[in-house]
Amino acid sequence: MKYIDDFNDPQLARRLLDDIHATVTRPWAMMEVCGGQTHSIIRHGIDQLLPDTVELIHGPGCPVCVTPLEMIDKALEIASRPDVIFCSFGDMLRVPGSSQDLFRVKSRGGDVRVVYSPLDALGIARKHPDRQVVFFGIGFETTAPANAMTVHEARRLGIRNFSLLVSHVRVPPAIEAIMRAPHCRVQAFLAAGHVCSVMGTAEYPELAERYKVPIVVTGFEPLDILEGIRRTVRQLERGEHRVDNAYPRAVQPGGNPAAMRMIEEVFEVTDRAWRGIGTIPGSGWRLTDAFREYDAERRFEVAALRTCESAACRSGEVLQGLIKPNECAAFGTTCTPRTPLGATMVSSEGACAAYYLYRRLDAPAAPMPSAPSKEAAPLG
């Protein structure tokens, strides 16, 4: 309870807000690349307490939301097979594929199970040697060490009926893609503290220098986020573009060496498609050749699938920070948590889910003050 109380102090929050208001002299737009931060911002109304000239742009920080539709459809095909026990975290079960979701597969007799750790799935594989057990391994750098360790353990124990459906993505290449995209308005980033607790900050200084943007690592409680915004605004006003760690209680510059070694042994960098965004070079991980036999895509020979996104869903624009969720015509009407058109409405870290849960149902009456845009070249 100590950190919950300490980092929710309203008096300290007011002081940080006063400092931000006193510092800002012109419009600025910054992006948080973390769905957990987005939910905290909307839940506590942080964006509504900031000066009108400070805009928070919600980025592609929800790992469930950016899992490509083709990968969801591959999961659905594998989970539908009678010899498979398909294991996943619970927030993947409602994510819509082209025609159904994992809940629908389960209702039709598929053995789909919610687990709390990939090691739970490995335990199921040991108990059911006559069945193929697949774990849906998604997420940013935060979840990669546990998934890597599980595959490593499966090989050590000689468990051959376990495999991983890998859809891991990496944050730094996504930041670069955002900055290179046409019509980019982002002038600074709030980096995700949990990602940096694993990987450290070594990949960010080059990005900050190349694109002349401050990158401030911050946490998830209200005071964490406000302090991150305060430091970001000060850099912007001074014309600086440094990496600043505002979350030192959890993040060290060198990250977690043991976790990084495990990732490096089991995974290798690859290009990865992001739902609603497209393929970002070098933005994902896949299993190395030494562990390729545990690759579910290879084991089940899941070919490239024909996918079909909802024409009414604008979640891709939400993930790129081009629109706010309540600017989509389907938001809160044809698209709700019970009838989702896209993953951003069902994930516990999705921006659309945050806006719906905390009743941000109406689109802004007028556009926020626009920040000076940067010239940016298209990807590719």
Side-chain angles (χ1 to χ4, degrees):
M1 292 297 292
K2 179 179 184 296
Y3 283 138
I4 293 177
D5 293 337
D6 287 354
F7 291 91
N8 284 272
D9 187 310
Q11 292 184 346
L12 291 177
R14 183 71 265 170
R15 288 169 58 185
L16 289 170
L17 282 164
D18 288 344
D19 191 285
I20 293 168
H21 278 262
T23 303
V24 171
T25 64
R26 54 180 289 192
W28 299 112
M30 63 188 73
M31 174 179 281
E32 81 274 4
V33 195
C34 172
Q37 290 175 349
T38 299
H39 271 253
S40 186
I41 287 165
I42 303 305
R43 176 187 177 189
H44 297 286
I46 291 173
D47 56 330
Q48 296 175 326
L49 298 171
L50 294 171
D52 291 340
T53 48
V54 176
E55 180 184 3
L56 295 179
I57 300 174
H58 314 313
C62 165
V64 172
C65 303
V66 301
T67 302
L69 182 59
E70 182 178 356
M71 190 63 70
I72 300 295
D73 284 352
K74 288 179 180 181
L76 296 170
E77 180 176 318
I78 294 172
S80 298
R81 301 188 182 194
D83 62 330
V84 168
I85 300 174
F86 194 88
C87 300
S88 172
F89 295 139
D91 53 2
M92 291 301 300
L93 269 63
R94 289 291 307 282
V95 177
S98 293
S99 60
Q100 59 178 336
D101 56 28
L102 286 168
F103 264 132
R104 185 70 60 86
V105 171
K106 184 176 178 66
S107 71
R108 291 175 175 172
D111 195 344
V112 178
R113 305 187 187 185
V114 174
V115 295
Y116 296 97
S117 162
L119 288 172
D120 293 342
L122 188 62
I124 292 171
R126 297 184 72 176
K127 292 179 181 178
H128 299 275
D130 58 328
R131 306 278 301 279
Q132 288 291 325
V133 177
V134 180
F135 179 73
F136 201 176
I138 70 148
F140 290 107
E141 293 92 332
T142 321
T143 56
N147 290 341
M149 181 183 66
T150 301
V151 174
H152 191 278
E153 187 72 357
R155 189 179 71 169
R156 186 184 72 83
L157 296 173
I159 301 174
R160 303 298 180 187
N161 63 319
F162 173 81
S163 58
L164 193 69
L165 184 60
V166 184
S167 189
H168 275 299
V169 288
R170 302 172 57 239
V171 170
I175 290 177
E176 182 164 17
I178 289 164
M179 292 309 302
R180 294 181 59 202
H183 314 300
C184 174
R185 298 186 303 113
V186 179
Q187 297 166 292
F189 289 91
L190 299 178
H194 52 4
V195 169
C196 294
S197 70
V198 175
M199 303 301 294
T201 59
E203 293 184 89
Y204 293 105
E206 182 182 352
L207 292 171
E209 179 61 32
R210 184 187 309 161
Y211 297 105
K212 309 303 181 187
V213 290
I215 300 177
V216 178
V217 181
T218 191
F220 310 92
E221 297 300 329
L223 296 189
D224 286 323
I225 294 170
L226 286 171
E227 174 62 6
I229 294 170
R230 187 187 73 85
R231 295 192 188 195
T232 304
V233 166
R234 283 182 173 267
Q235 282 201 52
L236 289 167
E237 290 283 339
R238 294 169 179 169
E240 299 173 350
H241 46 271
R242 296 178 290 100
V243 175
D244 187 5
N245 182 10
Y247 197 41
R249 69 181 187 276
V251 173
Q252 298 299 316
N256 184 324
M260 293 167 67
R261 284 195 298 270
M262 181 59 68
I263 291 172
E264 186 176 352
E265 180 178 353
V266 176
F267 292 125
E268 64 185 11
V269 172
T270 186
D271 298 345
R272 182 68 69 189
W274 294 51
R275 189 170 188 168
I277 297 175
T279 298
I280 301 177
S283 67
W285 278 310
R286 66 183 178 190
L287 292 169
T288 62
D289 287 340
F291 293 90
R292 197 62 54 82
E293 65 179 298
Y294 293 96
D295 186 342
E297 287 187 79
R298 180 179 178 180
R299 179 170 297 187
F300 295 95
E301 299 181 344
V302 186
L305 303 176
R306 183 178 180 181
T307 60
C308 182
E309 290 277 12
S310 167
C313 180
R314 300 179 68 186
S315 61
E317 295 171 81
V318 172
L319 289 168
Q320 296 177 68
L322 299 177
I323 65 170
K324 297 292 193 291
N326 52 16
E327 294 178 278
C328 174
F331 175 80
T333 55
T334 56
C335 182
T336 70
R338 287 184 176 271
T339 58
L341 297 180
T344 50
M345 182 56 87
V346 295
S347 169
S348 61
E349 294 188 357
C352 295
Y355 272 61
Y356 191 91
L357 177 62
Y358 300 114
R359 314 312 290 169
R360 299 286 188 87
L361 304 182
D362 297 325
M368 297 189 69
S370 60
S373 61
K374 294 177 177 285
E375 292 185 5
L379 286 175

